[in-house]
Amino acid sequence: MAIFTPGGLKIRLPLEHCFALIARLYPNVDAFKLLKTTEGFEIIPAFLSFITGIICFIFAVEPLWIGLYVFISSIIGFFITLTIFAYRIPILPTLSTLFSYAYGFGIYWILIAVAGFVIADWKRIIAYFVGAIMANFVKMAIDLINSNRLFKKFALYVSGSEINFYNAYLWHATKLGKSLDLTISDDELKRENWNQAFEDLAVKWPEVVNRFTID
């Protein structure tokens, strides 16, 4: 059972569980907006490494150091998103959510390549990509270890994607003054209490809902 964000990020949580939380925010924040914010939290590592790379290009940092800085900034961003307190960081989720629109269409990679050729050189571009790719391998390993740890503890599969969904909820709930308690009551799980938020997404973005799975 899983739902998907507009960009295709898989969130392995029951539909009724997700929409019970979304219903608390609706209509101020609809499902599409919360799912896009989830993507924003998910790509915080990529956003930080992108900014790091551009700064390194501007200041003509040596290729070896560019790769290292990009690697470190991506890993730091990943650890930020793994904590349930990532939603407390001001501005960063907003900026990374805006960045997700460029990231989702691959414009992010084009921007890095163009910026690298304009203000740096091919060695620095390669260094950037090596640092980013190495960081991705490390992040996947950490995510797997953490997911297994949480599964043994709670008998529930929770990866970085699910944590980022919760962070997105907490981010919006904080701004709206809604409950920060992630515990969902049996009453909230009843379809009649969250169906309006679900139907709103189904009408406006049927291509997103069509990806949802029930097994």
Side-chain angles (χ1 to χ4, degrees):
M1 185 176 295
I3 68 171
F4 288 79
T5 68
L9 177 66
K10 188 174 184 178
I11 302 170
R12 298 173 181 83
L13 294 171
L15 184 146
E16 62 272 16
H17 179 92
C18 294
F19 277 88
L21 289 175
I22 293 171
R24 294 179 184 175
L25 309 176
Y26 185 82
N28 301 89
V29 175
D30 61 14
F32 184 86
K33 186 172 183 178
L34 187 130
L35 293 175
K36 284 301 296 181
T37 305
T38 301
E39 292 178 2
F41 274 97
E42 180 78 10
I43 66 166
I44 282 177
F47 175 68
L48 292 180
S49 64
F50 174 79
I51 297 299
T52 299
I54 295 298
I55 292 173
C56 287
F57 290 163
I58 292 173
F59 289 97
V61 176
E62 289 299 313
L64 179 62
W65 290 106
I66 289 178
L68 181 60
Y69 292 151
V70 167
F71 176 86
I72 292 174
S73 61
S74 183
I75 297 300
I76 289 175
F78 185 66
F79 276 111
I80 288 174
T81 63
L82 278 185
T83 70
I84 205 65
F85 302 107
Y87 72 94
R88 296 181 181 274
I89 302 175
I91 301 176
L92 182 58
T94 299
L95 294 177
S96 60
T97 300
L98 291 174
F99 182 68
S100 71
Y101 288 91
Y103 185 86
F105 291 101
I107 300 174
Y108 154 69
W109 299 107
I110 297 173
L111 290 175
I112 278 292
V114 171
F117 278 114
V118 171
I119 59 180
D121 55 41
W122 65 269
K123 291 182 180 179
R124 290 179 169 83
I125 297 172
I126 291 176
Y128 176 92
F129 284 115
V130 169
I133 291 170
M134 292 300 294
N136 283 339
F137 282 117
V138 173
K139 287 185 293 184
M140 285 190 292
I142 295 172
D143 195 27
L144 180 61
I145 293 170
N146 189 56
S147 297
N148 289 335
R149 179 184 66 83
L150 293 175
F151 184 82
K152 291 178 181 178
K153 186 174 182 179
F154 301 109
L156 180 67
Y157 183 84
V158 179
S159 69
S161 300
E162 290 72 50
I163 293 173
N164 286 324
F165 175 81
Y166 289 131
N167 272 321
Y169 166 78
L170 294 168
W171 167 257
H172 288 292
T174 299
K175 293 195 290 185
L176 293 175
K178 301 293 184 178
S179 173
L180 301 183
D181 186 0
L182 296 175
T183 304
I184 302 171
S185 68
D186 291 338
D187 190 54
E188 286 181 297
L189 288 173
K190 294 178 181 177
R191 186 168 186 119
E192 61 265 25
N193 291 324
W194 53 261
N195 191 59
Q196 187 176 0
F198 174 78
E199 290 297 331
D200 178 71
L201 182 67
V203 170
K204 295 177 180 177
W205 300 92
E207 64 274 22
V208 175
V209 173
N210 287 340
R211 295 175 181 167
F212 292 179
T213 62
I214 59 174
D215 52 19

